[in-house]
Amino acid sequence: MITYADIPKPIRAGIVVVDAQIGVPQRIIVLQFNPDTLERQVAPQAAGGEGDAGGGGGGSGGGDRNEALRLKGPAQETWKFTAEIDATDQLDVAAPEGIHPELAVLEMLVQPTTAQLLAASKLTKKGTIEISPIETPLTLFTWGSKRVMPVRLTELSVNESAFDVNLNPIRASLSVGLKVLTVSDLPAGHPGAALYLAHLAQKEQLARRARGGTLAQLGLGRGI
């Protein structure tokens, strides 16, 4: 059998769950297969809002026009992709429970733990009037070294398509939706805010490397 040691292994996309208090990864989830496609939406946060189109009237129209080119903060960015999990593709790895563990790991990204729920229940029984919402760990989505960003899982749809004799799922397709968390979403000093700024700085560096065009290419050789 011929092997090619010099062929680099492909980098995998994945999710890193981080303890935001100490900045230490708690769990690293490596996608078995990189998704074939990514759907990304980037919506600017315009200062004037969507309904502030400049009309012909006066009144507040002048103020709205002053806001036309202003941004309130970072753009709202969402990602969607389909991930595949297939135990039959890893026959050298024992899977007595099928892909239950892999599915459970992803589902726990949007679930509080039993310990957290029991602690909240105890506070309720003690008569605590206001119970703070349960905080989840910081979640990072990684797509290569140039895309590492804090995210919140907003969608997880699971389609199980094959099972073993014990009805353990052995193949599934997952539709995953993510919202990139920006400095507008996170409190000041949160490590996720620093990671978002690093992600944005990476975009700025890549934008500076893009080749610029000319006015002549746009048919504006005489200028604007």
Side-chain angles (χ1 to χ4, degrees), residues 41-97:
Q41 292 186 347
V42 183
Q45 289 198 74
E50 293 182 359
D52 293 336
S60 62
D64 295 339
R65 293 189 183 94
N66 290 336
E67 302 293 332
L69 298 179
R70 296 183 183 276
L71 297 174
K72 292 188 296 184
Q76 298 294 308
E77 184 174 357
T78 58
W79 291 54
K80 288 186 178 181
F81 60 88
T82 300
E84 305 287 341
I85 305 178
D86 190 346
T88 63
D89 192 66
Q90 303 179 103
L91 295 178
D92 56 330
V93 179
E97 299 173 320

Side-chain angles (χ1 to χ4, degrees), residues 168-187:
N168 294 311
I170 56 175
R171 185 184 304 121
S173 175
L174 299 91
S175 297
V176 181
L178 303 171
K179 178 187 184 299
V180 178
L181 299 178
T182 73
V183 291
S184 299
D185 302 308
L186 299 165

